[in-house]
Amino acid sequence: MTRDQPDGAVPGRVGDTRSQLSGQAENVVQAGAVSGGVHFHHSEVPEAQVPRQLPRDVWGFVGRAQELASLDAVLGQGGQEQRPSAIVAIAGTGGVGKTSLALHWAHRIRARFLHGQLYVNLRGYGPEAHVRPADALERFLRALGVPAQSIPSDLEDRSALYRSLIAERNVLVVLDNAATAGQIRPLLPGGDGCLVIVTSRSRLPSLIARDGAHRLNLEPFTPEEAISLVQVTTDGYREADSPEELAELTRACAHLPLAVRIAAERAASRPHLSLRDLIDDLHNESMLWEALSSDDGDEADSVRAVFSWSYRVLPAQAARLFRLLGLHPGPEFSADAAAALSGQPTEIIKSLLDLLVGSHLLEQLTPDRYQYHDLLRAYAADQAHQEEPPEQQRLALYQVLTWYLHSAVSATAAINSIYPPPPLGPCDGVVNPQALQDQPTALRWYQAEKENLLAATQLASDHGLDHIAWQLPAVLHGIHADRPPFEGWFTMGELGLQAARRQGDKTGEALIQATLGAACRNAYRKKEAVEHYQAALKICCETGDLEGQQQSINALGILHLQQHQLDRALEQFKALKELAGQTASPSWQAVATGNFATTYVELGDLNKAAHLAAQALDACQHLESDLGAHIDPLLDLSTVHRGLGHPEQALAFAQQALTIAQERDNLILQGFVLLVLGHAQRANGQRPEALESYQHSAVLHRQLRDRAREAQALDAIGETYQELERIEEAADFHRAAVAMLRTLNNPWYLALALEHLADALSAADGEQSRRHREEAASLIEQYNDPKALAMRERLTAALRNSRS
């Protein structure tokens, strides 16, 4: 109830204790030379899981013998295979065959890379936004077995984790269609066992100079290669065409491989039409494009002419779908999204998509996902702007954006978040949103459409569809609030806030203020989070939105509780309890009761906390709420019974909470539950088991970038080592916790860690111990609750004894 948690997979299990501390530096702060008790794991990736992300090899690949020989030379000299430690950059104009060459070579050499292949299209030159390095790293980390919710949100942390995972591996990495060296560098492995193949229209000079990349400048086909491609493609479909006409056809395509391949497909599909007629058609289209387009190079004009040549022979329905898909907000799409865009049934759209794929005007990625080559998408969008009336373009955009909006409603509802999607008006009968019935399906849909949802918000904002621009991030709040913060969440929120204000929609503005508050809270930007929630609360009070008031009051109370500002937290939860009584809302009453219980645990009033936690747990059971809501009362009951001297009951409640967290595959819930479980295990004398729980908690919180709770876990490890009389190791972990907490604005937990460090150093270094206690005492002067007063007495007594 008090802690909003994301979903994810279990990174490890509580089990046997290992006698070592090991792991990647980005997953754990190693505090000195620790010789026993804890084994820190990095994000676990099964050794048997080998990514195989290469798209299929190019059918009918011809030529490029010299280029392939040059590429082979990078891997070995004189027939002696060397361990690859290289970056290869294949540069050239659009449509020159960079991707085809890269993939063909990658398939030829993939057997050398025992740990698999990673591939990403960085979309450096399409009309849509480039794939950001952070997003590419997310895909790679997922392919390497890192659970979605274990992936750090920060680019540098993602890059460090990626490099660590493949540092000792032999992996082939293909970075297709890159725009800049800056887009590439975070994706470069750090070890010497990987080969990176980059394709780009840019020559990437800094990648060559700074990173030592081998550059291959790819030129159009030779006349012989171009003719060979036509012959391979038309073999078995046409009688032998004359060499002169084949040469003329390929010249009309400027020997550009993409244009030649499309022209050859056209020739193969019309075996009874003479090649002379096809050449004349192509020349006619070239003249048309000369009149319509700027002079930006022979190759570009030739490609446009070939596209037009293929486009104009499409049936009317397929041609219209082709050009409308150029308006789609994101780089790839499903058949259902295409149906919404065109306003036609999905069954019809699938057959038209098959036709476009068969005409090589569209690429099919999976059974239900498609994408354009970036040149084709630009051409399709241009055709839409030329041939579709403005009102039809706007209607198509409205339909597909409405489809994304209402599909997101379905996804949010299926994920069973405590934040239900806000009510929307009825969906247009032409648009049939995705029906997502269960959480796994909804999460898969969200992951597949994540980029499109951000692009849809941007597109709605750009085209004056402000109600969609704020409703999309408001609807997705129920999904985002249960996840670590990411850049797209903030971007959608800012776009939504501007749109709601333009529209003068106070309800929308309040909802977006709340979602930005959640993003800032999860990013530990507490001051900004309070400002956003206060703004949301003010608007909700003005508009009489009681549900919004309850959400904002609860969020502010949680923020105060996390800062150990207990009086202010109690004020908020009292206000929530009163408002929930006025609105006759049993669910919010249960939330308020549970938050009271947690606050009284912090105040040290254990009997009152036990009574309230039992009430909250009973309310959750009677409301038949999601099991995740049971976890906070269970943890409070565990803490209470530990404090009252009932360690077995404390352990039972904590284990029950862990079972629920594991069943929900919720990483943040697991991380916090493991902390409480470790405390209960220590109370039961199970110190090795406690160390194992704490180390899993620390790793989880490092992966989730929750530095405060990671520090708490490290500090608890230090306390356990003190109980084991392993003082040097204890001090190392306390130091790590203190160093981490100094970077956060949370004086309460820093004071606790300083006191524990002072205890560990009291015998070996009295002066350092005294200084740490003095600093802790100054930090807690602002607190007047019973725990703070007791801590002040301990510190004062210890300082007095140290001077005597």
Side-chain angles (χ1 to χ4, degrees), residues 258-467:
L258 178 61
V260 172
R261 182 173 290 278
I262 293 175
E265 292 284 352
R266 175 84 180 274
S269 66
R270 288 160 177 76
H272 303 298
L273 195 64
S274 73
L275 206 57
R276 168 52 52 195
D277 289 336
L278 295 175
I279 293 168
D280 290 343
D281 284 348
L282 183 54
H283 281 312
N284 289 336
E285 292 295 347
S286 296
M287 287 186 287
L288 171 66
W289 271 103
E290 264 184 49
L292 293 178
S293 59
S294 60
D295 182 14
D296 56 357
D298 292 340
E299 292 89 350
D301 286 338
S302 297
V303 170
R304 282 194 293 265
V306 172
F307 290 170
S308 182
W309 188 29
S310 297
Y311 166 69
R312 293 184 188 282
V313 299
L314 290 171
Q317 277 191 312
R320 186 167 192 267
L321 178 62
F322 172 83
R323 60 181 178 263
L324 287 178
L325 287 171
L327 305 176
H328 183 268
E332 60 180 61
F333 48 87
S334 66
D336 286 326
L341 186 71
S342 66
Q344 297 186 73
T346 301
E347 293 73 22
I348 293 175
I349 290 301
K350 285 183 176 179
S351 64
L352 296 177
L353 290 170
D354 287 343
L355 193 156
L356 294 176
V357 171
S359 301
H360 294 274
L361 292 174
L362 199 62
E363 181 182 355
Q364 187 168 13
L365 301 174
T366 67
D368 188 47
R369 292 199 77 77
Y370 304 83
Q371 71 173 6
Y372 279 123
H373 184 285
D374 53 14
L375 292 176
L376 275 162
R377 181 170 180 192
Y379 174 77
D382 186 66
Q383 291 307 112
H385 297 322
Q386 289 188 37
E387 298 186 34
E388 292 290 329
E391 60 273 16
Q392 290 299 313
Q393 295 182 50
R394 187 174 178 82
L395 177 61
L397 285 176
Y398 177 78
Q399 289 174 170
V400 73
L401 294 176
T402 300
W403 182 85
Y404 275 111
L405 174 63
H406 285 267
S407 297
V409 170
S410 178
T412 302
I415 289 173
N416 293 322
S417 168
I418 63 170
Y419 301 102
L424 305 179
C427 190
D428 190 320
V430 174
V431 177
N432 295 306
Q434 203 84 25
L436 302 162
Q437 303 298 332
D438 56 73
Q439 186 182 80
T441 304
L443 285 172
R444 284 195 298 272
W445 181 87
Y446 169 76
Q447 287 297 334
E449 301 292 353
K450 188 176 177 181
E451 290 183 28
N452 287 337
L453 291 165
L454 174 58
T457 306
Q458 182 70 64
L459 196 63
S461 177
D462 293 344
H463 286 78
L465 297 169
D466 285 334
H467 67 293

Side-chain angles (χ1 to χ4, degrees), residues 544-765:
D545 179 0
L546 297 176
E547 178 68 20
Q549 289 178 46
Q550 290 170 121
Q551 287 190 9
S552 298
I553 291 170
N554 184 59
L556 288 166
I558 292 170
L559 283 166
H560 293 314
L561 184 58
Q562 290 173 343
Q563 296 292 305
H564 201 74
Q565 298 165 347
L566 303 182
D567 290 342
R568 298 175 71 179
L570 281 176
E571 289 176 8
Q572 296 294 337
F573 297 142
K574 285 177 183 176
L576 176 62
K577 186 81 170 178
E578 291 173 4
L579 190 56
Q582 295 171 19
T583 59
S585 172
S587 60
W588 278 115
Q589 288 176 333
V591 169
T593 301
N595 289 344
F596 272 129
T598 305
T599 309
Y600 280 109
V601 166
E602 291 299 304
L603 286 166
D605 191 340
L606 298 183
N607 290 316
K608 191 167 187 177
H611 175 69
L612 289 167
Q615 277 189 334
L617 185 60
D618 183 65
C620 290
Q621 291 167 343
H622 280 87
L623 289 170
E624 297 183 353
S625 61
D626 181 75
L627 283 176
H630 298 199
I631 287 181
D632 281 340
L634 289 169
L635 295 182
D636 288 335
L637 288 168
S638 177
T639 303
V640 163
H641 281 283
R642 179 166 51 86
L644 293 173
H646 310 144
E648 292 183 359
Q649 291 95 317
L651 186 60
F653 282 120
Q655 288 172 332
Q656 188 178 347
L658 181 62
T659 299
I660 295 173
Q662 290 173 333
E663 288 174 351
R664 285 172 55 85
D665 284 343
N666 189 309
L667 289 184
I668 292 184
L669 279 178
Q670 271 198 78
F672 188 73
V673 170
L674 285 166
L675 263 177
V676 179
L677 176 63
H679 299 335
Q681 288 166 331
R682 277 170 57 199
N684 279 273
Q686 300 173 352
R687 293 187 181 92
E689 291 82 357
L691 286 170
E692 187 79 0
S693 295
Y694 291 144
Q695 66 92 2
H696 277 286
S697 179
V699 170
L700 279 172
H701 287 127
R702 166 58 67 92
Q703 293 166 353
L704 294 164
R705 301 192 72 238
D706 191 333
R707 308 308 294 277
R709 285 185 178 164
E710 181 188 356
Q712 290 176 50
L714 295 175
D715 195 45
I717 292 171
E719 289 185 277
T720 311
Y721 274 132
Q722 286 200 58
E723 293 171 3
L724 291 167
E725 299 183 358
R726 295 167 60 175
I727 304 303
E728 289 185 10
E729 292 147 307
D732 285 338
F733 277 99
H734 291 313
R735 286 192 188 97
V738 166
M740 197 171 296
L741 287 164
R742 289 194 189 282
T743 67
L744 304 172
N745 183 24
N746 198 318
W748 174 254
Y749 286 108
L750 176 57
L752 288 176
L754 284 166
E755 183 185 23
H756 297 152
L757 177 57
D759 291 342
L761 294 175
S762 58
D765 192 337

